[in-house]
Amino acid sequence: MTTTWDSLEPALSVRQVLTLERVLAGEPEVVAGASHLDRPVRWVHVAEAADVGVMLSGGEMVLTTGVLLAGDEDKQAEYVRSLHRAEAAAVVLGLGRAFPSPPDVMRRAAERCGLPMVVLHRPFPFAELTEEVQSRLVRRKFAAVSLSEAVRTELTALITAGAPLQRLLDEVARHSACPVVVTNLAHRVLGTAGERPAVDDVLRDWERIARQAGGTEGDGWIRAELGGRGERWGRIVLCGYRGDTATGRLLADRAAEALVLHRMLGGGAACSWEEQSAQSLLTDLVSGVVPARQLLPRARAAGLPVNRRTFVPLVVRDGDTGQLERLLRLLGLPGLVAELADGATAVLLSLPRDQDADALAVHFATRLRTESGTDRTVVAAADPRVAWDDVPTGLREAQHVADAVADSSTALDLPPVVRLKDVHLRGLIRLLRDDPHVQSFAERELNGLLRGTDEDLLSVLRTYLATGRNKSRTAQLHHVSRPALYRRLEAIQVRLGVDLDDFEQAASVHIALLAHDAQQQ
């Protein structure tokens, strides 16, 4: 990214210059162009020459007594027009011998051109005004340079240390003191930083706000493009920056440079910014740490339709994130995909309420198995939700079902979409595994084996119960003789103080073992 110094040089507005104490001593009066007082003043120039416009480069506040213009109305009008052509910020006329009152010709010409014209009613040394404004501009310039270098140094250090995108955005938000948003070219939010309430206010109606503010920088909305090698792929936006616009633009450019570098260096990373954004949102939904209602603006800004929708929470085992995203696009199903932990991937579908959510979920799962070419892929689901606040519970239920299937030591005849009713007791245990009463029950029932060091007995018990107490099958799976298996089963019964031939006692031990195994996950 290349920027010119002139485009970034901090400036005072004409309005700000007129509020300076030294200027107020001259009793300034705006006689023309009052609606253009927010023009930036890049420099102050004292000039009496009638052709001063050829010496300007734009943004100057020109100070004059008009001594060479007095008595010639054509020169007066041309003087103003030349300043307008040179894009001067304003003209300040000191009243005195040449012009005891504001000249009508200059005033009318300035009004037509939209050039702010100010007259000073009291004698005023121009040198004082020049010194005051120039010193302030220089101080602002070096403050901006200092800020720019500080931001560049800090962001570079974070990138070198391998910091994630969020850490960089947090640092930018700290310097800018306003919400920071990173989007792709379709205005989909990829990352945010800043005080949470302020960020949520920005995201609440993000797409409309982003498109409305997309063309101009106003009200503190400052953008910098993200891209490289002639291709743009996103932008960073400072939302409501309250400092100097040029300084804000400088800050946004430094942030953009860092983000481009971060993305380039992370080109081989496991997931893109888009995937990180979805992962952060779905992880927060699953965890329940952040209330679902507070996450709604983030979901909407991430491109997920949320108004009058049916949400289908899914968790896929042994599914590739990229493959899942491609399949959603192929089937035209709006949704978010994010990798969770232990080989699980969350998929949150958002469907119109007039569509059959269950049928579409089955269609998605069937196509996924066909595309992956394996029956190992498991698609677990909770019942569809129509209220956003119920989505976190649904995602957790789908995760429990997926975990219950993964915990199974035997082959299960499962439908394309597995629900809680399909995993029976194992699913219930997964849901209750963190309950203290269940934990206490498991410890109490299995205490005789858990206190020992013979893991083989626990493994034999697990296989024996999973096969429906089939001794022949258990002996075969453990590669032992029937008499050897009988001795081990006898040892298990002695240690636990139970009779495994008694259905109720065996069921109690089986439930305890399922709970114990679930707690180890």
Side-chain angles (χ1 to χ4, degrees):
M1 179 180 299
T2 303
T3 52
T4 63
W5 172 250
D6 286 343
S7 68
L8 300 176
E9 184 175 350
L12 294 167
S13 68
V14 175
R15 192 186 308 277
Q16 289 173 316
V17 171
L18 296 181
T19 61
L20 298 178
E21 186 175 350
R22 290 188 180 183
V23 179
L24 291 174
E27 297 181 6
E29 178 190 0
V30 179
V31 297
S35 61
H36 301 279
L37 296 181
D38 290 321
R39 282 184 174 181
V41 177
R42 192 179 57 81
W43 209 243
V44 178
H45 191 74
V46 180
E48 299 292 352
D51 59 349
V52 63
V54 300
M55 296 181 284
L56 305 180
S57 58
E60 294 90 350
M61 174 178 277
V62 178
L63 312 181
T64 182
T65 62
V67 65
L68 299 181
L69 303 175
D72 191 332
E73 293 186 348
D74 289 340
K75 281 187 177 182
Q76 294 169 24
E78 177 56 27
Y79 181 82
V80 172
R81 289 193 293 267
S82 69
L83 294 180
H84 171 64
R85 289 194 296 270
E87 298 183 346
V91 59
V92 178
L93 175 66
L95 300 182
R97 286 183 303 170
F99 291 102
S101 63
D104 285 341
V105 172
M106 292 182 68
R107 182 182 58 78
R108 288 195 299 269
E111 191 65 48
R112 284 194 298 270
C113 293
L115 176 71
M117 180 175 175
V118 182
V119 297
L120 301 175
H121 288 278
R122 291 175 61 87
F124 186 88
F126 284 168
E128 291 188 11
L129 174 56
T130 302
E131 179 185 6
E132 175 77 7
V133 175
Q134 312 298 49
S135 64
R136 285 177 179 264
L137 289 175
V138 169
R139 288 199 299 271
R140 291 162 74 94
K141 177 192 299 184
F142 281 104
V145 171
S146 177
L147 173 64
S148 172
E149 290 307 310
V151 171
R152 175 184 279 128
T153 299
E154 291 171 11
L155 294 181
T156 301
L158 289 173
I159 293 171
T160 304
L165 171 66
Q166 187 60 53
R167 183 68 186 86
L168 270 66
L169 295 182
D170 289 340
E171 192 66 19
V172 176
R174 184 177 71 83
H175 282 286
S176 64
C178 70
V180 175
V181 178
V182 174
T183 76
N184 61 15
L185 296 181
H187 303 290
R188 178 176 174 179
V189 174
L190 307 180
T192 63
E195 295 185 2
R196 197 71 256 165
V199 172
D200 287 345
D201 286 342
V202 169
L203 296 184
R204 214 169 303 281
D205 196 13
W206 170 254
E207 185 170 349
R208 182 188 63 80
I209 293 174
R211 293 186 185 280
Q212 182 176 322
T216 59
E217 289 188 349
D219 297 326
W221 284 69
I222 299 174
R223 288 164 298 283
E225 301 298 324
L226 304 177
R229 299 176 181 175
E231 181 182 2
R232 292 188 303 119
W233 40 260
R235 59 179 59 89
I236 181 171
V237 187
L238 307 186
C239 307
Y241 181 72
R242 295 306 176 197
D244 180 87
T245 299
T247 302
R249 193 175 301 119
L250 185 65
L251 178 58
D253 283 345
R254 293 295 85 80
E257 290 172 359
L259 295 185
V260 170
L261 178 60
H262 181 274
R263 183 154 175 143
M264 289 173 58
L265 294 179
C271 58
S272 67
W273 287 359
E274 289 83 353
E275 292 169 337
Q276 291 179 43
S277 175
Q279 184 174 22
S280 173
L281 174 60
L282 291 184
T283 299
D284 285 346
L285 279 170
V286 171
S287 69
V289 174
V290 182
R293 193 171 300 277
Q294 293 183 21
L295 296 172
L296 189 58
R298 284 173 57 188
R300 184 182 288 112
L304 185 73
V306 295
N307 295 329
R308 299 188 59 79
R309 308 291 286 190
T310 297
F311 301 102
V312 183
L314 305 173
V315 171
V316 180
R317 281 282 180 184
D318 296 317
D320 176 74
T321 301
Q323 180 189 26
L324 292 171
E325 290 178 337
R326 288 191 297 273
L327 184 57
L328 288 182
R329 289 194 296 269
L330 178 65
L331 299 178
L333 298 176
L336 296 178
V337 179
E339 186 175 348
L340 300 178
D342 301 325
T345 303
V347 180
L348 179 60
L349 301 181
S350 174
L351 307 174
R353 290 189 179 177
D354 60 353
Q355 292 186 348
D356 188 336
D358 289 335
L360 286 174
V362 170
H363 181 53
F364 169 78
T366 304
R367 284 292 298 270
L368 179 61
R369 284 192 177 183
T370 302
E371 298 271 339
S372 61
T374 174
D375 291 335
R376 292 184 56 200
T377 301
V378 174
V379 179
D383 291 335
R385 264 63 174 171
V386 295
W388 174 257
D389 287 348
D390 294 336
V391 169
T393 304
L395 283 169
R396 287 193 289 272
E397 180 180 316
Q399 188 174 30
H400 282 309
V401 173
D403 290 344
V405 174
D407 290 346
S408 177
S409 59
T410 60
L412 298 176
D413 185 15
L414 298 173
V417 176
V418 188
R419 303 185 186 276
L420 197 56
K421 64 181 179 62
D422 298 314
V423 291
H424 307 292
L425 179 61
R426 190 178 299 276
L428 176 64
I429 295 300
R430 285 292 309 188
L431 286 173
L432 299 177
R433 67 174 179 172
D434 294 326
D435 187 295
H437 295 91
V438 174
Q439 295 172 356
S440 176
F441 170 77
E443 290 287 328
R444 184 172 61 252
E445 289 291 302
L446 300 176
N447 186 50
L449 287 181
L450 298 179
R451 285 189 292 108
T453 58
D454 192 349
E455 286 291 329
D456 183 56
L457 290 182
L458 198 63
S459 177
V460 167
L461 175 63
R462 185 179 290 109
T463 305
Y464 180 61
L465 295 174
T467 58
R469 296 183 294 173
N470 186 321
K471 295 183 176 64
S472 297
R473 180 61 176 157
T474 302
Q476 182 182 17
L477 290 173
H478 283 269
H479 307 290
V480 297
S481 65
R482 290 281 294 269
L485 175 66
Y486 294 156
R487 288 193 295 271
R488 295 181 189 185
L489 291 176
E490 182 63 29
I492 291 171
Q493 294 181 103
V494 170
R495 289 197 183 187
L496 297 182
V498 298
D499 179 3
L500 293 179
D501 289 330
D502 181 87
F503 176 79
E504 185 173 337
Q505 293 183 56
S508 181
V509 171
H510 193 187
I511 292 171
L513 186 58
L514 290 175
H516 169 75
D517 289 345
Q519 291 158 16
Q520 305 309 307
Q521 300 301 316

